[in-house]
Every structure is written in C-alpha cells, then in structure tokens.
C-alpha cells in the first residue's frame, strides 16, 4: 500500500525557484514505483510577494504549511526589499515560531575530495542543533528602539529547552547506533557570563543525567568557534541557542567549502521545514548557475524525517541514496558550480546527481 504525503512548497526568492524545481523532480523520481508518493502544492511567500501584495506570508500559505506532512522551503529574502523597520523579509523565521520548530538541524560533513579551507584529510561529520524559536531572536521585529538606546530580549524557556535537549540526545543515540558518531552531545553556551545560559546548561545537565550511554560536555561559544576550525572532527552533536547557532552554522558551512553544500531542517513535535542554509543570491538569479546541492540535500533530510515518523525503510534508503549521489558528484569534482571552484551550471549538476543515482 502506497503512503502519499502532502508537501507544501515555497519557491522562494532570487535563485529559489531555480533550485527548487529540480529538487522536487528528483524527489518525485525517487517516489515513482516505491511504496510512497508525494503531492506537491506551491504556496506564495517571500520578499517578492511582499513587494507585490504587502504580505510576506499570507494566512492561506500558513494554513497550507500547517496542514502539510512536510514543508520544502527554498531561499527567501531579497536585500533590496525590507520591512519598514529595515529588517529582512524572513517567512522562514515566521514558520519556525508559528509551528514551534525548536530544533534547527545543521549537518556539517566534509566528504572525501570535497573542497575545504581546512588543511586536513581527517573526516568531519557532526550536527549542529540550533534552537530556532526563542533566544536572542525572541523579540525579532518588536525590539525597543529609542533616540539613544535600543533593546532586544534574550529568552530561554523550559518549555522549549527540555524537548530541544531530548532531541539532541536522541540524535546522538541514533548516530551512535548507526556508527556515524561516537555518542556525544556538547552544550554550547555562555554560562560564565549570562544567567540565562546557566539556566540553559542546568536543563542540559538534567537531560544528560538520564542518558548514561551518551557522553555530555560543555563549551563556551567563543571557544567552540575556535575548535570548529582547529579540530572539527572532535564534535558529534552540539546544541546551542538561536543566535549562537545562526553564527556557528555559517562557520560550519564554511568548513564544508560554502553554503552551497549546507542543508538544514527545522523540526518540531508535529511539523518540519527543510531548506538550504544559503540566501537567495539575486545577483545570479536567472542565469542557470546556482548550486542546487543544498536544496537537494535538504530534500534528502525530508525523506529521512518522514521515513522515521512513518516507519518507511524504503524512503530512508532513498534518502541515503540521494545523499550518496551528491557526495559522489562532489568527491569526483568534475561537475561543480562556480561557488565550489567549478564551471558547471545548475542543470549540469542535477544531471550528474541523477546519473549517480542510477
């Protein structure tokens, strides 16, 4: 019996539609003839939509996202289009808050043969989990600004942090069982300065006490930034506050050679959004040169998440196949877009990934 999943699709801005279309095509191809299927439904949102209508995320689009089994979201925002207060159009953040997508999952993997600024041949494979609904983003869009002073509020709650830490330890246990990690979770904070982070760490330690089979340690965020460059292979799963995670995830992408290889997921108890970490790159939009790999890998993360929720081993196997196909193209180094040092276009990369899947 075939399980059919409703997928809400947000095409995004700039290069967004150019990387979404082939990613959806790849996912549909994997589903053909399998024990699962997809129905993809487009919904409007983003900076260009805001410029036309005054709405960045219409109520109907939010309703569609809420009703879907999963959400695929491409690059959002345009530097030239802002809200009246000067902040960016970011429907992805609105979705995270509205759907309580507290666990922002950012894998950092350096594949054999992959371009990287690191002078090492050691394998790197860790996951950064960024809390995605509160922290220093809590007052996003409603901070207080006066003539001589501005204030934003950092918020840490038990309601969000406890499930966040359960998620992180669950992931470490899964990675250990699969042989992809040693079974360690690192809490990244600034508990030596801020009471809010001491509270954050206290809840982490309480969850760690329940998981004797998983190693737990702590690291201050400034030291973590250093160690991610000096010895990134020492991490397995790290979990941190929203703003710290925002910054460290881009550092992780830099270790991988750029944002073009950086997928992500924002996961809650009932919903999940899958999107590339990079921006909309309007300067290259319409030229057919955008790197689709981060979007494709985000699609693989969606397959993996749905497979786990619905006990579909075939879908999990397809997620692994798609990830390995991208790995093979990157490792071979023959068909790469210019952000990775190559000259290939979007269509060339998609063709190469399809060939690696065959």
């Amino acid at each position: 019996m075939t399980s059919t999943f409703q997928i809400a699709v947000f095409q995004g801005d700039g290069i967004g539609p150019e990387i979404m279309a082939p990613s959806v095509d790849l996912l549909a191809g994997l589903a053909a003839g399998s024990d699962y299927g997809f129905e993809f439904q487009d919904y409007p949102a983003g900076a260009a939509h805001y410029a036309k209508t005054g709405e960045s995320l219409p109520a109907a689009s939010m309703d569609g996202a809420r009703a879907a089994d999963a959400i695929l979201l491409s690059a959002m925002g345009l530097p030239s289009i802002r809200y009246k207060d000067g902040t960016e159009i970011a429907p992805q953040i609105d979705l995270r808050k509205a759907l309580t997508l507290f666990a922002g999952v950012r894998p950092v993997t350096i594949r054999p043969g992959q371009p990287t600024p690191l002078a090492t041949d050691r394998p790197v494979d860790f996951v950064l989990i960024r809390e995605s609904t509160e922290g220093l983003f809590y007052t996003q869009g409603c901070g207080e600004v006066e003539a001589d002073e501005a204030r934003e509020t950092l918020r840490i709650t038990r309601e969000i942090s406890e499930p966040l830490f359960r998620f992180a330890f669950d992931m470490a246990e899964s990675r250990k069982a699969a042989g992809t990690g040693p079974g360690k979770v690192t809490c990244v904070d600034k508990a030596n300065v801020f009471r809010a982070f001491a509270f954050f760490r206290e809840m982490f330690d309480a969850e760690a006490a329940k998981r004797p089979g998983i190693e737990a340690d702590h690291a201050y965020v400034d030291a973590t930034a250093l160690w991610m460059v000096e010895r990134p292979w020492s991490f397995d799963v790290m979990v941190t506050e929203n703003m710290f995670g925002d910054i460290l995830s881009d550092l992780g992408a830099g270790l991988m050679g750029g944002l073009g290889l950086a997928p992500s997921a924002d996961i809650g108890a009932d919903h999940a959004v899958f999107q590339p970490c990079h921006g909309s790159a309007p300067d290259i939009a319409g030229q057919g040169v955008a790197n689709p790999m981060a979007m494709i890998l985000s699609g693989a993360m969606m397959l993996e998440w749905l497979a786990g929720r619905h006990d579909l081993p075939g879908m999990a196997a397809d997620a692994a196949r798609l990830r390995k196909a991208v790995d093979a193209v990157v490792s071979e180094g023959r068909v790469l877009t210019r952000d990775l040092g190559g000259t290939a276009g979007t269509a060339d990369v998609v063709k190469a990934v399809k060939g690696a899947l065959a």
Side-chain angles (χ1 to χ4, degrees):
M1 182 176 179
T2 301
S3 300
T4 301
F5 298 96
Q6 306 297 318
I7 309 300
V9 177
F10 291 86
Q11 296 284 345
D13 296 305
I15 62 170
E18 298 174 53
I19 60 174
M20 179 62 83
S23 301
V24 166
D25 182 59
L26 280 166
L27 293 170
L30 287 169
S34 71
D35 62 349
Y36 65 91
F38 296 119
E39 291 182 0
F40 298 98
Q41 177 63 54
D42 284 348
Y43 291 99
H49 188 75
Y50 175 80
K52 292 177 183 177
T53 68
E55 289 186 300
S56 60
L57 182 60
S61 296
M62 177 62 79
D63 290 343
R66 197 182 300 276
D69 293 298
I71 303 157
L72 280 175
L73 189 149
S74 199
M76 287 277 186
L78 293 169
S80 60
I81 301 174
R82 304 265 175 157
Y83 291 121
K84 291 180 180 179
D85 65 0
T87 57
E88 293 184 4
I89 310 295
Q92 63 272 32
I93 299 178
D94 297 332
L95 282 167
R96 291 171 197 163
K97 292 182 177 181
L99 301 179
T100 318
L101 308 180
F102 55 81
V105 181
R106 311 293 189 262
V108 178
T109 306
I110 300 178
R111 304 155 180 86
Q114 181 174 329
T116 172
L118 295 176
T120 180
D121 294 325
R122 297 186 65 168
V124 173
D125 184 350
F126 66 88
V127 180
L128 170 64
I129 299 175
R130 164 194 178 186
E131 194 290 308
S132 294
T133 64
E134 48 184 30
L136 195 52
F137 280 68
Y138 174 65
T139 50
Q140 180 221 358
C142 54
E144 300 175 18
V145 180
E146 300 174 359
D148 300 308
E149 182 178 331
R151 291 176 296 279
E152 300 281 359
T153 300
L154 183 148
R155 185 178 191 236
I156 302 290
T157 68
R158 187 177 300 278
E159 179 184 11
I160 292 296
S161 298
E162 288 184 341
L164 174 74
F165 294 137
R166 287 195 295 269
F167 185 96
F169 279 90
D170 286 347
M171 177 167 286
E173 288 176 348
S174 296
R175 284 171 56 84
K176 185 178 181 179
T180 55
K184 182 175 77 169
V185 184
T186 303
C187 180
V188 180
D189 56 44
K190 198 65 177 170
N192 58 328
V193 176
F194 297 102
R195 294 177 66 186
F197 285 113
F199 177 58
F200 190 74
R201 181 179 288 201
E202 177 185 309
M203 290 182 286
F204 172 85
D205 288 344
E207 184 62 32
K210 303 173 187 176
R211 312 285 187 124
I214 299 297
E215 180 185 351
D217 65 357
H218 311 97
Y220 296 134
V221 65
D222 43 346
T224 300
L226 173 68
W227 294 334
M228 281 178 66
V229 174
E230 285 190 340
R231 48 179 178 87
W233 50 81
S234 67
F235 293 106
D236 181 14
V237 175
M238 63 171 73
V239 60
T240 191
E241 175 271 341
N242 205 339
M243 178 62 81
F244 291 166
D246 188 27
I247 296 166
L248 293 179
S249 62
D250 272 22
L251 175 55
L255 302 182
M256 293 191 287
L259 287 165
L261 291 172
S264 77
D266 289 291
I267 299 173
D270 301 306
H271 305 278
V273 171
F274 302 87
Q275 67 178 118
C277 288
H278 60 70
S280 61
D283 56 318
I284 61 169
Q287 299 177 29
V289 298
N291 184 349
M293 290 184 178
M295 187 73 246
I296 293 169
L297 290 169
S298 297
M301 292 181 74
M302 183 189 78
L303 292 178
E304 189 173 48
W305 180 75
L306 285 170
R309 281 175 66 87
H310 299 279
D311 191 23
L312 292 170
M315 184 185 282
D318 283 345
R321 284 182 60 213
L322 187 53
R323 190 176 294 110
K324 287 178 181 177
V326 174
D327 289 352
V329 173
V330 173
S331 296
E332 185 182 50
R334 187 176 58 84
V335 185
L336 299 176
T337 45
R338 64 191 193 188
D339 59 305
L340 299 178
T343 58
T346 308
D348 299 320
V349 171
V350 173
K351 182 179 178 180
V353 172
K354 285 183 176 179
L357 276 170

